[in-house]
Amino acid sequence: MPTPLLRSVHVHPVKAMRALATAEAEVQPWGLAGDRRWAVVDAADKVVTQRRHPRMALATAEPLPGGGVVLSASGRPPLTVEVPHPSSTVTVDVFDKPVEAVPAGPGAAGWLSAYLEGEFRLVHMDAPEHRRPVDPDYALPGETVSFADGYPLLVTTTSSLDALNSLIAQGDHAHEGPLPMNRFRPNLVIEGTAPWAEDGWTRLAVGEVTFRVARPCGRCVVTTTNQFTAERGKEPLRTLARHRRSDGRVLFGQNLVPEHTGTVRVGDEVKILD
């Protein structure tokens, strides 16, 4: 096998909006710098994602120095949103868990409400070092996460995607494939491994940063959402359910927790430590 390398790096400044590729990223204890520090909440202050609103895939949040973002989407004027002052927080519901966050101003709420056709607002995680702990069943004491689904980073491999696409091509929805990697919304994409090799990893190093593998990533309906059109199909969940099911979940990719901070760069060598 060739030496595994970091193929690409992706951040998602606002949870569930379009992923942005970057040449390098700082790894912080709770995830990549700028990744999912913002989230959209509904009128009940429940965090919303592409599960309920697939059109979120078509909206972009470009990061600004200092942590702000510029929101943009077809048919809507761009809006600059600065990091709100943490003078007051609201309790938001992140997958049935309470998390304190800082609401952005009415301009962001108006922009989102018009785009998603409902009552929505934008919130910012001001202090990720203590706002939201990682699931204690898979974490060490003190480990935290941003607004990501559950863990600081998600890693996938190009060889496993190729293997999955081969299985999709043999199934009853072959016309939906091959699928691109953006269906899985990873942070790190690795090339040069055997298909499904990541199933056996427990620790790895990407350039100067080492990571612990917390658990395989269970996949949801978001993976069936075309990230360029917001249209939904059946794949890859149909094929994953046939070939990658475990404990009631369908799996693709691995959740990671960084063991220390540093910077990862496209082209970094990847070493499987355990």
Side-chain angles (χ1 to χ4, degrees):
M1 293 293 296
T3 300
L5 299 175
L6 183 59
R7 170 76 170 270
S8 59
V9 180
H10 307 268
V11 296
H12 315 76
V14 175
K15 181 178 179 65
M17 289 190 181
R18 180 169 292 163
L20 303 178
T22 182
E24 63 179 52
E26 178 188 355
V27 178
Q28 299 173 331
W30 41 83
L32 297 183
D35 187 62
R36 298 176 173 101
R37 289 287 296 276
W38 299 84
V40 179
V41 298
D42 62 15
D45 284 334
K46 185 179 181 69
V47 167
V48 298
T49 71
Q50 290 182 36
R51 294 168 177 84
R52 286 171 51 194
H53 298 279
R55 288 187 69 241
M56 293 183 74
L58 308 182
T60 300
E62 292 283 351
L64 294 172
V69 291
V70 177
L71 303 179
S72 62
S74 178
R76 298 292 307 161
L79 178 72
T80 297
V81 184
E82 301 292 348
V83 173
H85 190 275
S87 55
S88 62
T89 63
V90 295
T91 302
V92 301
D93 180 335
V94 185
F95 305 127
D96 299 321
K97 299 290 185 181
V99 177
E100 293 300 304
V102 184
W111 193 98
L112 289 166
S113 297
Y115 179 68
L116 296 176
E117 300 178 345
E119 185 177 342
F120 300 94
R121 61 177 172 169
L122 190 65
V123 296
H124 181 257
M125 184 176 287
D126 62 319
E129 65 274 15
H130 61 76
R131 289 294 187 203
R132 185 177 174 223
V134 177
D135 184 341
D137 289 340
Y138 300 94
L140 300 178
E143 290 180 336
T144 61
V145 61
S146 65
F147 283 122
D149 275 7
Y151 299 88
L153 288 92
L154 172 66
V155 64
T156 59
T157 67
T158 57
S159 59
S160 294
L161 179 62
D162 290 343
L164 176 60
N165 277 324
S166 294
L167 294 171
I168 290 173
Q170 301 166 29
D172 54 3
H173 284 75
H175 62 281
E176 293 188 22
L179 301 182
M181 189 65 85
N182 65 10
R183 291 291 187 95
F184 301 96
R185 300 179 63 80
N187 295 113
L188 308 179
V189 180
I190 294 172
E191 64 182 359
T193 67
W196 315 119
E198 62 271 24
D199 289 349
W201 299 348
T202 57
R203 290 180 70 244
L204 68 154
V206 180
E208 64 187 37
V209 185
T210 60
F211 300 89
R212 187 181 80 255
V213 178
R215 69 184 306 204
C217 185
R219 310 313 311 214
C220 70
V221 70
V222 172
T223 60
T224 70
T225 307
N226 186 314
Q227 296 294 298
F228 301 110
T229 68
E231 296 174 345
R232 282 197 170 140
K234 299 294 185 182
E235 295 293 1
L237 290 186
R238 183 176 292 261
T239 296
L240 289 173
R242 290 173 176 167
H243 300 278
R244 298 280 300 167
R245 181 183 290 275
S246 177
D247 295 329
R249 304 187 307 150
V250 295
L251 308 177
F252 189 89
Q254 296 285 338
N255 292 299
L256 303 181
V257 179
E259 295 185 329
H260 57 86
T261 59
T263 300
V264 293
R265 301 172 176 85
V266 171
D268 274 349
E269 183 176 345
V270 177
K271 298 179 181 179
I272 310 309
L273 304 177
D274 294 303

